[in-house]
Amino acid sequence: MTDIALNPAAATARPARRDIGLKRRYAAERRFKLYGISAIAIGIFFLIALLFSVFSNGYTAFWQTEVNLAINLDPKIIDPDNKRATDPNVLLTANYPVLARNALAEKLGVSMSDKPGLRELGKLFSDGVRTQLREIVVANPNLIGTTQNVWVLTGADIDSAFKGQIDLSVDQSRRKVSDKQVAWMNQLKADGAIAQRFNTGLFTYGASSRPETSGLSVGLIGSLYMMLVVLGLSLPIGVAASIYLEEYAKKSRLTDIIEVNINNLAAVPSIVFGLLGLAVFINFLHMPRSASLVGGLVLTLMTLPTIIIATRAALRAVPPSIRAAALGIGASKTQMVFHHVLPLAAPGILTGTIIGLAHALGETAPLLLIGMVAFVANNPVTPLDPSTALPVQIYMWANEAERAFVERTSGAIIVLLLFLAIMNITAIILRRRFERRW
């Protein structure tokens, strides 16, 4: 007789214990699912909070308040001594803001004898009108003496007030815009002479101490030059190193050390590469500071481990039967690699390269150490010219004290996020378009 026959209670206890065990297992699975869903929900919440904060503060940067003025290009102000025929520099030094102030005073009915009123009136528009009117006159001196309708930028404070970013209900002693300026702004709005227009200057202006005339052009061009340098160096070097390590190098202690160091370099903080670039490229090789070429070289060092790791993974994913078939029909090892293996690994290589470039595009710390935080007003023509980068421009604007730079900072972050999104979406499309299932 078995124990069950001798003890019938034991027969009923075992299924009961089994049911309890199953219930505990199912409960643990449900808890694990709940933990996973909670983690994803928390991540999505913070992502939405981040994007909402950036977009809510930055979308207004793509619009700039401007005033339409009928400006009389008075020769008595531009060229009082009629010297422009012999001295073209006269047109460069004229007091162009006075022309805009006079046009605005005439539009608003402010007397020319009201000096305090004229001073307040001059704060309605940006001092960047000097450059704007100068370019118009220098391009066509025949316009002197005529009246031209010109949209001029308002000052940063008026722009913020017009966008509703300044609380006008508080006492004027606690805000930068006076009651008189608010009344003028409302009068211009009623006349349809002030409006928000698309801010092309955000993409065409260089660095400036005035928010309304600050733009990303230097950072965009500098980032473009750096990405070209990174792509031109890291892709061929990374692919060549990967092919050698994966297809030609024999397994030894040396190759193991190289692999470990490549993996370690991929995890090194980016600021360390900035220190390396400062020591080697600037202090030792005496390359120019703030140059896109140096920035590209530093980012190349940082990107190489990522591309090597991605390329080796792509090469390893090609089935060994492809290699065996190529060698079996008489191909040399080099022909096997470049005619068969490399084309099949190309989607993975491209994906890794694009992700590496996207990572390099968003880096700031190494660029600060090589001087790319300089104030650069003119667009760089070559990679050797002084420049900055998009993330560095964001860093500099974030340190500015003026309120108007807050929206400029968030607007620049939106531009950077769009570039990163485009690059990552491109990587996904390429992977899905050319990926093969084995």
Side-chain angles (χ1 to χ4, degrees):
M1 295 292 292
T2 63
D3 293 340
I4 295 176
L6 294 174
N7 188 7
T12 58
R14 288 180 182 177
R17 286 196 298 268
R18 190 181 306 115
D19 292 341
I20 292 173
L22 287 174
K23 289 180 180 179
R24 288 177 179 174
R25 190 186 311 165
Y26 291 150
E29 289 180 0
R30 286 194 295 270
R31 285 197 302 272
F32 184 76
K33 274 186 184 180
L34 182 61
Y35 296 152
I37 293 172
S38 300
I40 293 173
I42 292 172
I44 292 175
F45 170 77
F46 282 108
L47 175 62
I48 292 174
L50 171 64
L51 294 178
F52 176 78
S53 174
V54 171
F55 279 85
S56 61
N57 289 323
Y59 79 95
T60 53
F62 297 93
W63 304 95
Q64 184 71 35
T65 307
E66 299 182 16
V67 179
N68 184 256
L69 297 176
I71 298 179
N72 178 20
L73 301 177
D74 191 350
K76 294 180 181 179
I77 296 176
I78 297 176
D79 186 15
D81 300 323
N82 197 22
K83 294 181 178 179
R84 65 178 182 273
T86 57
D87 186 10
N89 290 329
V90 170
L91 302 181
L92 301 177
T93 58
N95 195 354
Y96 292 104
V98 172
L99 299 175
R101 187 202 64 186
N102 293 346
L104 192 55
E106 182 180 354
K107 193 174 192 67
L108 295 173
V110 179
S111 173
M112 290 297 174
S113 60
D114 184 6
K115 300 301 182 184
L118 291 177
R119 280 195 295 271
E120 279 200 75
L121 195 66
K123 297 177 182 178
L124 283 180
F125 56 85
S126 169
D127 193 54
V129 72
R130 184 190 309 274
T131 304
Q132 186 178 1
L133 295 180
R134 182 174 61 208
E135 289 177 352
I136 293 174
V137 172
V138 171
N140 188 2
N142 293 327
L143 295 178
I144 297 176
T146 64
T147 299
Q148 301 293 319
N149 282 322
V150 182
W151 285 92
V152 300
L153 297 174
T154 61
D157 296 328
I158 299 298
D159 178 55
S160 297
F162 191 77
K163 292 176 178 176
Q165 297 169 348
I166 295 178
D167 186 3
L168 300 179
S169 63
V170 302
D171 187 78
Q172 67 173 350
S173 62
R174 297 171 56 192
R175 47 183 161 85
K176 293 185 177 181
V177 181
S178 67
D179 290 338
K180 186 179 291 186
Q181 290 172 332
V182 172
W184 286 333
M185 182 181 69
N186 292 332
Q187 182 179 341
L188 291 170
K189 183 178 180 180
D191 294 339
I194 187 171
Q196 292 186 44
R197 308 178 74 198
F198 184 72
N199 188 12
T200 57
L202 183 65
F203 304 96
T204 59
Y205 293 152
S208 174
S209 59
R210 297 183 295 271
E212 69 275 7
T213 55
S214 296
L216 298 171
S217 64
V218 176
L220 290 172
I221 296 174
S223 294
L224 174 62
Y225 281 146
M226 285 193 298
M227 292 303 102
L228 291 176
V229 172
V230 174
L231 181 63
L233 292 177
S234 62
L235 181 60
I237 295 175
V239 171
S242 302
I243 290 174
Y244 174 76
L245 290 173
E246 199 64 31
E247 303 293 340
Y248 291 94
K250 295 181 179 179
K251 292 295 181 182
S252 63
R253 180 169 295 181
L254 177 61
T255 56
D256 290 340
I257 292 174
I258 292 174
E259 289 182 11
V260 169
N261 280 280
I262 289 173
N263 293 329
N264 287 337
L265 284 174
V268 169
S270 59
I271 196 168
V272 175
F273 291 99
L275 292 171
L276 177 63
L278 177 65
V280 175
F281 299 127
I282 294 178
N283 293 340
F284 181 71
L285 298 178
H286 303 290
M287 299 181 75
R289 278 180 175 270
S290 305
S292 301
L293 177 61
V294 179
L297 291 173
V298 171
L299 295 180
T300 297
L301 296 177
M302 190 189 72
T303 309
L304 265 175
T306 302
I307 294 180
I308 292 174
I309 292 171
T311 302
R312 293 191 67 188
L315 293 172
R316 206 176 292 126
V318 177
S321 58
I322 300 293
R323 296 173 173 82
L327 295 174
I329 61 175
S332 65
K333 192 166 187 177
T334 301
Q335 289 175 326
M336 176 266 291
V337 170
F338 287 94
H339 294 177
H340 301 275
V341 176
L342 194 59
L344 294 175
I349 296 172
L350 289 175
T351 301
T353 301
I354 294 173
I355 292 174
L357 290 176
H359 181 203
L361 179 62
E363 281 296 335
T364 305
L367 303 180
L368 297 179
L369 292 176
I370 60 173
M372 294 197 75
V373 72
F375 185 93
V376 183
N378 298 321
N379 293 333
V381 179
T382 69
L384 293 174
D385 293 334
S387 178
T388 184
L390 194 52
V392 177
Q393 187 66 65
I394 294 171
Y395 168 81
M396 290 192 292
W397 280 352
N399 288 330
E400 295 289 345
E402 289 194 46
R403 166 67 180 79
F405 275 111
V406 174
E407 70 169 9
R408 282 291 194 280
T409 302
S410 297
I413 292 173
I414 293 173
V415 174
L416 180 60
L417 289 176
L418 288 176
F419 277 118
L420 294 177
I422 290 172
M423 295 178 75
N424 282 281
I425 290 171
T426 303
I428 293 171
I429 292 173
L430 287 175
R431 185 176 67 232
R432 291 188 175 181
R433 173 67 178 82
F434 298 106
E435 188 177 31
R436 288 197 178 188
R437 302 275 181 188
W438 305 102

